[in-house]
Amino acid sequence: QVQVVESGGGLVQSGGSLSLSCAASGSISGPNTMGWYRQAPGKERELVGIMTTRGRSNYADSVKGRFTVSRDNGRNTVYLQMNSLSPEDTAVYYCNLKSICINVECRPYEYWGQGTQVTVSS
């Protein structure tokens, strides 16, 4: 089975930067998205940024221009570079891997990481 493992969370001061990594292991077939969601206390889980196998990305408006998602398809790894952090970015960040099914033979899948805490102090 595929496993998704995150790393890089921690405590950072407001205005600082932090980088997260997520590595997927196992057999991954076909096109997919890899990226990041987050959940703050008392709020629903929300999109941060995701990227398709071919490099197309989608970001939440709140992080555009500050966060960057990148992928290394050969290593099945996705990164999140976070700059200009503010306390509003404090949340548990989750890595997500989800199939993109465009063919009949596609077998859909979705995997989540365990989450990593990002805390931004004011």
Side-chain angles (χ1 to χ4, degrees), residues 15-93:
S17 298
L18 198 63
S19 182
L20 307 181
S21 298
C22 171
S25 62
S27 181
I28 303 172
S29 300
N32 57 71
T33 64
M34 288 189 74
W36 301 89
Y37 293 74
R38 68 185 182 187
Q39 187 168 22
K43 300 185 67 176
E44 297 290 324
R45 189 173 300 187
E46 65 177 358
L47 169 75
V48 177
I50 57 174
M51 181 172 287
T52 70
T53 311
R54 296 178 62 180
R56 296 186 180 272
S57 60
N58 186 30
Y59 294 94
D61 288 341
S62 60
V63 307
K64 286 180 180 177
R66 299 189 298 121
F67 292 9
T68 303
V69 174
S70 59
R71 289 185 61 158
D72 185 338
N73 292 336
R75 304 179 74 90
N76 291 321
T77 301
V78 65
Y79 307 91
L80 181 65
Q81 179 64 48
M82 301 181 289
N83 299 322
S84 301
L85 285 162
S86 70
E88 288 70 38
D89 297 311
T90 295
V92 177
Y93 284 69

